[in-house]
Coordinates of all heavy atoms in Angstrom, one line a residue:
P1 N 4.6 53.1 -6.2 CA 5.8 53.4 -5.5 C 5.7 52.7 -4.1 O 4.8 52.8 -3.4 CB 5.9 54.9 -5.3 CG 5.0 55.4 -6.4 CD 3.9 54.4 -6.5
I2 N 6.8 51.9 -3.8 CA 6.8 51.1 -2.5 C 7.9 51.6 -1.7 O 9.1 51.8 -2.1 CB 6.9 49.6 -2.8 CG1 5.6 49.1 -3.5 CG2 7.1 48.8 -1.5 CD1 5.7 47.7 -4.0
F3 N 7.7 51.8 -0.4 CA 8.7 52.3 0.6 C 8.8 51.3 1.7 O 7.9 50.8 2.2 CB 8.2 53.6 1.1 CG 8.0 54.7 0.1 CD1 6.8 54.7 -0.7 CD2 9.0 55.6 -0.2 CE1 6.6 55.7 -1.7 CE2 8.8 56.5 -1.2 CZ 7.6 56.6 -1.9
I4 N 10.1 51.0 2.1 CA 10.4 50.0 3.1 C 11.2 50.6 4.2 O 12.1 51.4 4.1 CB 11.2 48.8 2.4 CG1 10.4 48.2 1.3 CG2 11.6 47.8 3.4 CD1 11.1 47.1 0.5
G5 N 10.8 50.1 5.4 CA 11.5 50.5 6.6 C 11.3 52.0 6.9 O 10.2 52.6 6.9
K6 N 12.4 52.7 7.3 CA 12.4 54.1 7.6 C 11.9 55.0 6.5 O 11.4 56.1 6.7 CB 13.7 54.6 8.1 CG 14.2 53.9 9.4 CD 15.5 54.5 9.9 CE 15.9 53.9 11.2 NZ 17.3 54.4 11.6
A7 N 12.0 54.5 5.3 CA 11.5 55.3 4.1 C 10.0 55.5 4.1 O 9.6 56.5 3.5 CB 11.9 54.5 2.8
T8 N 9.3 54.7 4.9 CA 7.8 54.9 5.0 C 7.5 56.3 5.6 O 6.4 56.9 5.3 CB 7.1 53.8 5.7 OG1 7.7 53.7 7.0 CG2 7.3 52.5 5.0
K9 N 8.4 56.8 6.5 CA 8.2 58.1 7.1 C 8.3 59.2 6.1 O 7.8 60.3 6.4 CB 9.2 58.3 8.3 CG 9.0 57.2 9.4 CD 10.0 57.5 10.5 CE 9.9 56.5 11.6 NZ 10.9 56.7 12.7
R10 N 8.9 59.0 5.0 CA 9.1 60.0 4.0 C 8.0 60.2 3.0 O 7.9 61.1 2.2 CB 10.4 59.7 3.2 CG 11.7 59.6 4.1 CD 12.0 60.9 4.8 NE 13.3 60.8 5.5 CZ 13.4 60.5 6.8 NH1 12.3 60.2 7.5 NH2 14.6 60.4 7.3
I11 N 7.0 59.2 3.0 CA 5.9 59.3 2.1 C 5.2 60.6 2.1 O 4.9 61.3 1.1 CB 4.9 58.1 2.2 CG1 5.6 56.8 2.0 CG2 3.7 58.3 1.3 CD1 4.8 55.6 2.2
P12 N 4.8 61.2 3.3 CA 4.1 62.4 3.3 C 4.9 63.6 2.9 O 4.4 64.7 2.6 CB 3.7 62.6 4.8 CG 3.8 61.2 5.4 CD 4.9 60.5 4.6
L13 N 6.3 63.4 2.8 CA 7.2 64.5 2.5 C 7.5 64.6 1.0 O 8.2 65.5 0.5 CB 8.5 64.3 3.2 CG 8.4 64.3 4.8 CD1 9.8 64.1 5.4 CD2 7.7 65.6 5.3
L14 N 6.9 63.6 0.2 CA 7.1 63.7 -1.2 C 6.6 65.0 -1.8 O 5.5 65.4 -1.5 CB 6.4 62.5 -1.9 CG 7.0 61.1 -1.7 CD1 6.0 60.0 -2.2 CD2 8.3 60.9 -2.3
E15 N 7.4 65.6 -2.7 CA 7.0 66.9 -3.2 C 5.9 66.7 -4.2 O 5.1 67.7 -4.4 CB 8.3 67.5 -4.0 CG 9.4 67.9 -3.0 CD 10.5 68.6 -3.8 OE1 10.4 68.8 -5.0 OE2 11.5 68.9 -3.1
N16 N 5.8 65.6 -4.9 CA 4.8 65.4 -5.9 C 4.0 64.2 -5.6 O 4.5 63.1 -5.6 CB 5.5 65.3 -7.3 CG 4.6 65.0 -8.4 OD1 3.4 65.1 -8.3 ND2 5.1 64.7 -9.6
H17 N 2.7 64.4 -5.4 CA 1.7 63.3 -5.2 C 0.8 63.1 -6.3 O -0.2 62.3 -6.2 CB 0.9 63.5 -3.9 CG 1.7 63.2 -2.6 ND1 1.8 62.0 -2.0 CD2 2.5 64.1 -1.9 CE1 2.5 62.1 -0.9 NE2 3.0 63.3 -0.8
D18 N 1.0 63.8 -7.4 CA 0.1 63.7 -8.6 C 0.3 62.3 -9.3 O 1.3 61.6 -9.2 CB 0.4 64.8 -9.6 CG 0.1 66.2 -9.0 OD1 -0.7 66.2 -8.1 OD2 0.7 67.2 -9.4
K19 N -0.8 62.0 -10.1 CA -0.8 60.7 -10.8 C -1.2 60.9 -12.2 O -1.8 62.0 -12.6 CB -1.9 59.8 -10.1 CG -1.9 59.6 -8.6 CD -0.7 58.8 -8.1 CE -0.9 58.4 -6.7 NZ -1.0 59.4 -5.7
S20 N -0.8 60.0 -13.1 CA -1.2 60.0 -14.5 C -1.7 58.6 -14.9 O -1.2 57.6 -14.4 CB -0.1 60.5 -15.4 OG 1.0 59.7 -15.3
Y21 N -2.7 58.6 -15.8 CA -3.3 57.3 -16.2 C -3.7 57.3 -17.7 O -3.9 58.3 -18.3 CB -4.6 57.1 -15.4 CG -4.5 57.1 -13.9 CD1 -4.7 58.3 -13.2 CD2 -4.4 55.9 -13.2 CE1 -4.6 58.2 -11.8 CE2 -4.3 55.8 -11.8 CZ -4.4 57.0 -11.1 OH -4.3 57.0 -9.7
I22 N -3.8 56.0 -18.1 CA -4.5 55.8 -19.4 C -5.7 54.9 -19.0 O -5.5 53.8 -18.4 CB -3.6 55.0 -20.4 CG1 -2.4 55.9 -20.8 CG2 -4.4 54.6 -21.7 CD1 -2.7 57.1 -21.6
A23 N -6.9 55.3 -19.3 CA -8.1 54.6 -18.9 C -9.0 54.3 -20.1 O -9.3 55.2 -20.9 CB -8.9 55.5 -17.9
N24 N -9.3 53.1 -20.3 CA -10.3 52.7 -21.3 C -11.7 52.7 -20.7 O -11.9 52.5 -19.5 CB -10.0 51.2 -21.7 CG -8.8 51.1 -22.6 OD1 -7.9 52.0 -22.6 ND2 -8.6 50.0 -23.3
F25 N -12.7 53.1 -21.5 CA -14.0 53.3 -21.0 C -15.1 52.8 -22.0 O -14.8 52.7 -23.2 CB -14.3 54.7 -20.6 CG -14.3 55.7 -21.7 CD1 -15.5 56.0 -22.4 CD2 -13.1 56.3 -22.2 CE1 -15.6 56.9 -23.4 CE2 -13.2 57.2 -23.3 CZ -14.4 57.5 -23.9
Q26 N -16.2 52.6 -21.5 CA -17.4 52.2 -22.3 C -18.6 53.0 -21.9 O -18.9 53.0 -20.7 CB -17.7 50.7 -22.2 CG -18.9 50.2 -23.0 CD -19.1 48.8 -22.9 OE1 -18.3 48.0 -22.5 NE2 -20.3 48.3 -23.3
L27 N -19.3 53.6 -22.8 CA -20.5 54.3 -22.5 C -21.7 53.4 -22.7 O -21.6 52.4 -23.4 CB -20.6 55.6 -23.4 CG -19.5 56.6 -23.3 CD1 -19.7 57.8 -24.3 CD2 -19.3 57.1 -21.9
G28 N -22.8 53.8 -22.2 CA -24.1 53.1 -22.4 C -24.4 52.0 -21.3 O -25.3 51.3 -21.4
V29 N -23.5 52.0 -20.3 CA -23.8 51.0 -19.2 C -23.3 51.7 -17.9 O -22.3 52.4 -17.8 CB -23.0 49.7 -19.4 CG1 -21.5 49.9 -19.5 CG2 -23.3 48.7 -18.4
T30 N -24.0 51.3 -16.8 CA -23.6 51.8 -15.4 C -23.5 50.5 -14.5 O -24.4 49.7 -14.6 CB -24.6 52.7 -14.9 OG1 -24.8 53.8 -15.8 CG2 -24.2 53.3 -13.5
T31 N -22.5 50.5 -13.6 CA -22.4 49.4 -12.7 C -22.2 49.9 -11.3 O -21.9 51.1 -11.1 CB -21.2 48.5 -13.0 OG1 -20.0 49.2 -12.7 CG2 -21.2 48.0 -14.4
D32 N -22.4 49.1 -10.3 CA -22.3 49.5 -8.9 C -20.9 49.9 -8.5 O -20.7 50.7 -7.5 CB -22.9 48.5 -7.9 CG -22.3 47.1 -8.0 OD1 -21.4 46.9 -8.9 OD2 -22.6 46.2 -7.2
T33 N -19.9 49.4 -9.2 CA -18.5 49.7 -8.9 C -18.0 50.8 -9.8 O -16.8 51.2 -9.6 CB -17.6 48.5 -9.0 OG1 -17.7 48.0 -10.3 CG2 -18.1 47.4 -8.0
Q34 N -18.7 51.2 -10.8 CA -18.3 52.2 -11.8 C -17.2 51.7 -12.7 O -16.6 52.4 -13.5 CB -17.9 53.5 -11.1 CG -18.9 54.1 -10.2 CD -18.5 55.4 -9.5 OE1 -17.3 55.7 -9.5 NE2 -19.4 56.1 -9.0
D35 N -17.0 50.3 -12.7 CA -16.1 49.7 -13.6 C -16.7 48.4 -14.1 O -17.7 48.0 -13.7 CB -14.7 49.6 -13.0 CG -14.7 48.6 -11.8 OD1 -15.5 47.8 -11.7 OD2 -13.8 48.8 -11.0
I36 N -15.9 47.7 -15.0 CA -16.4 46.5 -15.7 C -16.5 45.3 -14.7 O -17.2 44.4 -15.0 CB -15.5 46.2 -16.9 CG1 -16.2 45.2 -17.8 CG2 -14.2 45.6 -16.3 CD1 -15.5 45.0 -19.1
S37 N -16.0 45.4 -13.5 CA -16.0 44.3 -12.6 C -17.3 44.3 -11.8 O -17.6 43.3 -11.1 CB -14.8 44.4 -11.6 OG -15.0 45.5 -10.7
G38 N -18.1 45.3 -11.9 CA -19.3 45.4 -11.0 C -20.5 44.8 -11.6 O -20.5 44.3 -12.7
T39 N -21.6 44.9 -10.9 CA -22.9 44.4 -11.3 C -23.7 45.5 -12.1 O -23.7 46.7 -11.6 CB -23.8 44.0 -10.1 OG1 -23.1 43.0 -9.4 CG2 -25.2 43.5 -10.5

């Protein structure tokens, strides 16, 4: 969600700040970033 101009002042007033995701994962490996982009 992107807010422009005076609307930016309303971000803290949003009733719902929850998020939902679909996440793919792989077991058996660990990286420094905790994702596939890391070392």
Side-chain angles (χ1 to χ4, degrees):
I2 294 172
F3 301 81
I4 298 173
K6 293 181 179 180
T8 57
K9 296 180 180 179
R10 303 294 188 268
I11 296 176
L13 302 179
L14 289 172
E15 292 184 4
N16 177 8
H17 283 270
D18 295 335
K19 312 286 194 304
S20 60
Y21 299 90
I22 298 292
N24 289 14
F25 67 92
Q26 178 180 342
L27 300 180
V29 62
T30 304
T31 69
D32 57 354
T33 59
Q34 301 178 346
D35 62 26
I36 199 170
S37 71
T39 301

